[in-house]
Each structure stands twice: as C-alpha cells, then as structure tokens.
C-alpha cells in the first residue's frame, strides 16, 4: 500500500504540473519513483546482457564449436532481437506490460542457464536453444520502457527525460566485464609447474584482451589445479579465468 500511495502522490504531482501548463519537468521526473524504476530496468538489463553477449563467440569456440558456427550463432541471436522488438508491442497489448516483461526476463535467465549447462554438456541442440530463447527475449524490454516513459512523462520535456533514462542503458553496457578462460592439461614432467601456470594465465589474459577488455583492467580471478593420477607424465589439469572491463570507444 505504501507503493500505491507513493504512486498516487506522483500522479497527483504530475496532474498539478500539467494543469499549470508545464507538463513533466526534468526535476519533477527525477523525484518520481517511476523514473528511477525505469532507469534500473535499463541499467541492470544492459549490464547483464552485454556481460553475456560480448563473450559469446569466444565461449562457444572454447566449448569446441567452429568459429563459423560460433559467429553464426551470435549473428542469429542478434537477428532474432529484431523479431522481439517488433512483436513486443503486440504481445504487451495482449498480455500486459508486466507479464510480457516478466516472461522476457525469465527467458533471458533460461538462456544464461543453458550457457551454464553447455559448459558441462556442449551440444548443437543446446546452442540452438540458447540462440532461440536468448534472442527472442533480448529486445523486448526497450520498446516497453520507451512506451511507459512516453505515456508517464508526457509533455515538452519527454525527450530529455527519456534520454536520461536511456543513458542508464549505455552506462550499464559500459561497465560490463568480459572474461576469458583456459582449461588445459599439462604434463609437469615436460614443463615445470610454474611455467605451466604462467602459460595458462597468459593465454587467459590474451583471450580477455581479444574480447575487447581494457588492458589495464585485466586480472586473474580464479586458478584451479587438479592432478590427474590416471594419466602418465604427472598430468595436471589447470583452469585459469581472467576478467577485464569492456572497452567502449
């Protein structure tokens, strides 16, 4: 009920301003709960989406898919967003904004879960499922946020207000991190342990840089060593993960 009351106060405030012939001002919008709710939707959605997308091709290649297949999956995912953007208005009119957005977030989460599953069981069917689910949910939120902002903050300043909301999308995308991972088996009889670790770390850092990270922000966040007694040559599995902040030109 507190939220209902707060929303009512925002509406009353907006009605008074419109009655005065001013419409929504930027200052009034900044005091609105709706404004900050839309900002959070754009910010956190962009952070999550771009954290996944910028690493998708490298991730698929690491799982054993060919570069052509990995790039093709990435391209089709982007193409499907055209469908989601075009259909979001139609779907939201039929099922409502809340249901449509909730379903799209559930679909995005399912896509991320599929990616996690692929690290254990990489397969073409799972890749196709990710492309379909993630791609069809990728562009749903934008048009809905635009529609809500336009209707909620109608007036001469609506473009400026929406521009401020949309800026959160760019900021969220800019702070997303990219990552690179190396998972290899080394024979410690053929190469010293320190040398093997150093080589794995360098490869992980190189993959992060190839994904578009700012060089000064790259760091190693996880190192795992697992001796493999069932293999000859003092075999050890070394997994190294590195991350870095995405470079935005």
């Amino acid at each position: 009920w507190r939220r209902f009351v707060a929303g009512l106060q925002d509406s009353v405030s907006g009605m008074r301003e419109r009655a005065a012939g001013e419409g929504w001002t930027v200052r009034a919008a900044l005091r609105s709960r709706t404004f900050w709710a839309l900002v959070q939707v754009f910010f956190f959605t962009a952070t999550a989406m771009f954290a996944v997308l910028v690493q998708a091709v490298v991730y698929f290649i690491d799982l054993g898919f060919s570069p052509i297949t990995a790039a093709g999956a990435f391209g089709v995912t982007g193409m499907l967003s055209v469908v989601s953007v075009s259909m979001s208005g139609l779907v939201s009119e039929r099922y409502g904004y809340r249901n449509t957005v909730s379903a799209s977030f559930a679909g995005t989460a399912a896509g991320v879960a599929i990616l996690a599953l692929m690290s254990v069981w990489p397969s073409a069917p799972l890749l196709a499922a990710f492309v379909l689910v993630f791609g069809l949910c990728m562009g749903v939120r934008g048009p809905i946020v635009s529609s809500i902002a336009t209707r909620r903050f109608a007036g001469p300043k609506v473009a400026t207000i929406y521009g401020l909301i949309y800026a959160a999308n760019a900021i969220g995308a800019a702070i997303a991190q990219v990552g690179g991972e190396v998972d290899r088996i080394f024979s410690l009889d053929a190469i010293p342990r320190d040398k093997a670790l150093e080589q794995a770390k360098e490869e992980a850092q190189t993959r992060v840089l190839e994904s578009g990270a700012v060089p000064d922000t790259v760091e190693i966040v996880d190192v795992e060593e697992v001796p493999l007694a069932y293999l000859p040559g003092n075999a050890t599995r070394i997994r190294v993960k590195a991350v870095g902040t995405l470079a935005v030109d």
Side-chain angles (χ1 to χ4, degrees), residues 54-75:
V54 296
Q55 303 179 73
V57 175
V58 176
Y59 179 68
F60 294 147
I61 293 175
D62 286 346
L63 292 178
F65 294 99
S66 69
I68 293 297
T69 301
F74 179 81

Side-chain angles (χ1 to χ4, degrees), residues 173-174 176 178 211-215 217 244-249:
V178 293
S211 298
V214 178
T217 66
T245 302
L246 179 65
V248 181
D249 297 329

Side-chain angles (χ1 to χ4, degrees), residues 118-226:
M118 288 176 66
S119 66
V120 179
W121 183 46
S123 65
L126 282 180
L127 178 61
F130 165 77
V131 169
L132 187 65
V133 173
F134 202 83
L136 287 177
C137 295
M138 191 163 61
V140 173
R141 277 82 58 168
I144 292 177
V145 171
S146 303
S147 177
I148 293 174
T150 302
R151 295 170 61 182
R152 182 71 178 85
F153 301 110
K157 300 295 184 180
V158 64
T160 302
I161 295 170
Y162 177 69
L164 292 174
I165 295 172
Y166 191 80
N169 185 68
I171 296 172
I175 68 171
Q177 286 192 316
V178 293
E181 184 173 321
V182 170
D183 192 342
R184 289 181 54 188
I185 297 176
F186 292 87
S187 173
L188 299 187
D189 285 348
I191 180 174
R193 173 179 174 276
D194 292 342
K195 187 67 174 178
L197 285 171
E198 181 182 351
Q199 182 177 334
K201 290 178 180 180
E202 289 179 354
E203 290 183 15
Q205 290 172 328
T206 298
R207 293 187 180 186
V208 176
L209 293 173
E210 290 175 348
S211 298
V214 178
D216 294 340
T217 66
V218 177
E219 60 178 340
I220 303 296
V221 296
D222 188 30
V223 178
E224 181 181 350
E225 298 179 65
V226 181

